[in-house]
Each structure stands twice: as structure tokens, then as C-alpha cells.
Amino acid sequence: MAKKHDHPCAIAATLNVIGDRWTMLLIREAFYGTNRFGDFLKNTGISRNLLTERLNQLVEDGIFMRQPFADRGTSHVYELTEKGRALDAVFLAMSHWGNAHIYGEGNEPVRMIDDDTGLRVDGFDLVNSDGHPVNRSKITLELGPGGDGRTRNRLAAVRKFPFS
Amino acid sequence: MAKKHDHPCAIAATLNVIGDRWTMLLIREAFYGTNRFGDFLKNTGISRNLLTERLNQLVEDGIFMRQPFADRGTSHVYELTEKGRALDAVFLAMSHWGNAHIYGEGNEPVRMIDDDTGLRVDGFDLVNSDGHPVNRSKITLELGPGGDGRTRNRLAAVRKFPFS
DNA sequence: TCCTAATAGTTCTTTTTCTGAACTATTGAA
DNA sequence: TTCAATAGTTCAGAAAAAGAACTATTAGGA
């Protein structure tokens, strides 16, 4: 991928791993069960050389594990690591937003169903470290231990989120 | 941005809007309260010509509203639309993942605090359309009204998510 | 009125990345 | 030992991004 963002920010850091046109599509495939080079290729439309590069990078970043697979030829299996599976929240958020705001109600290509009730999965509640729900409009940003002067200045300007 | 993904998938559709190195960073800035060309420029490090192009695209995509601002020179104010604010879930998911899996506990540059309890915001619960919690490991994918033959074939292969 | 400063945006060149196609390598099975 | 399947490499052309210089617009002040 391109040059990395280098300021202390979790969004920037995350974009350094998944912030390009293809990576989240590869991770979507992994969640769908795809684990072979050729299947990633076929199901996403990425070019071969980019796929090679992206898979290598994702293995290096600890998102995929690569294991030999004795089939025909030189085969490997790519599986999500725990760190990779933890991207499920990003997957779900993007999936929900795309359904709601690009396709719109009644036009979703794929829906997620809650097996227990048969109802559609339909959003998220934020929870705090006690597991209790958080009011999305009452969140404050705080300088963390990994922040620096830039972070402090940045937060000094704005602390309230317009979450809804 | 680059060529668009063209298959019926909410992730692909979302990537067509935010799937590049800079866009989520601009949206982060908007959540932080940034609304002027020069401030986006300064706070992200994007180049001027790309910023112009991205802002135009985001206005076209309905993520930002652009309004005249009488200051000095030819000024505008960029504000998130409701569709843009709805990306808060993506923002929160990326933010949480970056903190947890790139910086790690004790190294977060920025933390989100639940004003009501003072505790850290620490993840998401999925909810169904009744607003009730969903067991993440019990979700099924279903062909939606906007799906096509490709979608059907795709889902036929795998229906269970390895969410954790 | 004219100049200046502030802001936003454009243009242009160079560098980097992506695309797409052809080619190579490895290995199991016939 | 040849063939087919798979993964991966190489390379040329196209597209996008980076970075710097330049232009345009307008408020305010001399």
C-alpha cells in the first residue's frame, strides 16, 4: 500500500492496514470463508500481482495466517488471525452503512439475520468497559497514554462528537 | 478515487465512498469539528489538489454539505450530512480496533469516555430490528431484494460468519 | 479606489501505484 | 514423464498521488 500515515491516531493506524480499495474486500471474503489465492482473485476482481502484495502485507500485519496446502501446485491457505477476526466490527459497520445509505431499505443485496429471533441485524450499541450501554451523544475524547503534544493540541480544539 | 467496485455488496459500495487512504481521515476531522479547507489540509497532511477532489466527491456523494462562508477570500464550510454522520459506527469501529490491536492497552493516543460513568467506551453490541442484543456467533446471511445471481451463488457457498 | 492578506482552488511535473497480460515455478495425478 | 492446476513474478502502459508553483476571490484598510 501507499505511504503510511504517521500521526498518533487509531483511525490513521487502522487506515495504514485496511485503508485502500481492496483490503476490506479481501477481509470480507475471508469472513465469507474464502481462503485460497485463486478464490480471492475470482471473487474480488483484484489483479494477481496486487493480490500477492496485499496478502503478503496482511500476513506481515498479522491479519492473515498463511499455511501450506497440498492440493495441486504451490498452494496455500489464508486464514484470519484473531486480530483479523477483530475487524468484524468494521465489517459490520460498513455493511450496515452500505445497506442503509447506498442501497437503502428494500434494496439490500445481502441481509444479516439474527438466528435467535429471525429479525434483521440492525445496528450497534456502544458499550463501556463494564459492558453497559453508552449514550452515543455523551462521549468525551481524552488524551491517552500514547498521545503526544500534537494529540493534546488536537483534542484541545474539540472534545465533543456529533454522534447521533 | 479509483475505479469503482461494481458488484452488489454493501462493503463494496461503502468502499466506493470511503475506500481510500484519505477519506476516513477527512471524516475523522469532520467528527472532530474541522470544517474548513485549510484545516483539513493542515490536520491530515493530504495534498491540496487531492483535498479539492475528495471534498468535491464527498459533497457529490452526500457525505458533506458545502456552504459559503464570508471570512477572507473564497471560503466554504464543509459539514457532515446525516448520511455522513451515520458513518460514526465505522469511525468508532476503526477507532476501537486501532486502539486495541495497533496501539494496545496502555498505549492509546486518544480514549473515548462515557460521560455518564467515566468509563471507557469499549466496543459494540449488535442489535436486531427490535433493538435487542444479537449473539454475534449466531448470524446468518440471507439474499436480500437487491441481490442478483452472483449474490445468490456467493451466499450458497458460505452462510456462517466466524464472528467472535 | 487600490493594495494587501487570507483563503481556496488550479495547474503542472515527477513519483508511485495499479492494471492487465504474458510468463515461470511447483507439485500431484494420470 | 507429461499434464493440469495452482500460485506467483515480471513488465509495459495507464492512472492516481505528491508536491510545488501559480491563480482567483474577497474583506478590510491605507
Side-chain angles (χ1 to χ4, degrees):
Chain A
M1 193 151 27
K3 201 166 61 175
K4 301 289 186 202
H5 300 293
D6 76 338
H7 53 286
C9 163
I11 299 284
T14 301
L15 288 171
N16 282 339
V17 179
I18 63 165
D20 76 288
R21 231 164 75 73
W22 293 109
T23 297
M24 273 307 296
L25 225 46
L26 299 177
I27 287 165
R28 174 200 74 186
E29 282 304 305
F31 279 124
Y32 276 27
T34 298
N35 59 11
R36 307 293 301 276
F37 186 94
D39 291 331
F40 284 112
L41 201 62
K42 172 158 50 77
N43 294 335
T44 64
I46 194 173
S47 63
R48 303 179 79 84
N49 52 352
L50 251 203
L51 178 56
T52 299
E53 187 186 302
R54 286 290 185 277
L55 288 174
N56 285 341
Q57 187 64 54
L58 286 166
V59 168
E60 187 175 314
D61 287 343
I63 306 298
F64 282 134
M65 283 174 301
R66 164 201 247 134
Q67 259 138 15
F69 181 81
D71 182 359
R72 298 286 187 84
T74 52
S75 274
H76 294 100
V77 170
Y78 296 88
E79 301 281 4
L80 286 171
T81 61
E82 189 196 332
K83 183 176 175 182
R85 284 195 305 276
L87 285 165
D88 60 353
V90 177
F91 176 98
L92 290 163
M94 290 181 63
S95 188
H96 186 255
W97 187 84
N99 270 347
H101 290 91
I102 303 292
Y103 289 105
E105 177 61 33
N107 294 303
E108 303 90 346
V110 177
R111 286 170 168 169
M112 284 185 291
I113 304 296
D114 170 14
D115 294 346
D116 287 333
T117 63
L119 295 172
R120 285 161 59 193
V121 177
D122 193 43
F124 314 87
D125 281 348
L126 290 177
V127 296
N128 65 26
S129 49
D130 271 358
H132 293 117
V134 171
N135 182 339
R136 216 175 263 219
S137 63
K138 292 166 75 180
I139 294 174
T140 301
L141 296 183
E142 198 174 82
L143 184 66
D148 64 9
R150 286 176 295 177
T151 320
R152 187 189 312 275
N153 294 339
R154 199 70 204 75
L155 291 178
V158 192
R159 289 179 172 277
K160 280 296 175 186
F161 276 76
F163 293 158
S164 37
Chain B
M1 196 151 25
K3 202 166 61 174
K4 302 288 187 204
H5 299 294
D6 78 337
H7 54 285
C9 162
I11 299 285
T14 301
L15 287 172
N16 282 339
V17 179
I18 63 165
D20 76 289
R21 229 164 75 72
W22 293 108
T23 298
M24 273 307 295
L25 224 47
L26 299 177
I27 287 165
R28 175 200 73 183
E29 281 304 305
F31 278 126
Y32 276 27
T34 298
N35 59 13
R36 308 293 300 276
F37 187 93
D39 291 330
F40 284 113
L41 201 61
K42 173 159 49 80
N43 294 334
T44 63
I46 194 174
S47 63
R48 306 178 77 84
N49 51 354
L50 254 202
L51 179 55
T52 300
E53 187 186 302
R54 287 292 185 277
L55 287 174
N56 286 341
Q57 188 62 55
L58 286 166
V59 168
E60 188 176 312
D61 287 343
I63 306 298
F64 281 134
M65 286 174 297
R66 167 200 245 133
Q67 261 138 13
F69 181 81
D71 182 359
R72 294 290 185 83
T74 52
S75 275
H76 294 99
V77 170
Y78 296 88
E79 302 280 2
L80 286 169
T81 61
E82 189 196 333
K83 182 176 175 183
R85 284 194 304 277
L87 286 165
D88 59 356
V90 177
F91 175 98
L92 291 163
M94 292 181 63
S95 187
H96 186 256
W97 187 86
N99 270 345
H101 290 91
I102 303 291
Y103 289 105
E105 177 62 31
N107 295 302
E108 304 89 345
V110 177
R111 287 170 168 169
M112 283 185 292
I113 305 297
D114 171 13
D115 294 346
D116 287 334
T117 63
L119 295 172
R120 284 160 60 191
V121 177
D122 194 42
F124 314 86
D125 282 347
L126 291 176
V127 297
N128 66 25
S129 50
D130 271 357
H132 293 118
V134 171
N135 183 338
R136 216 175 262 218
S137 63
K138 292 167 75 179
I139 294 174
T140 301
L141 295 183
E142 198 175 84
L143 185 66
D148 64 9
R150 286 176 296 177
T151 320
R152 187 188 315 272
N153 294 340
R154 200 70 203 74
L155 291 179
V158 192
R159 289 179 173 276
K160 280 295 174 188
F161 277 76
F163 292 158
S164 37

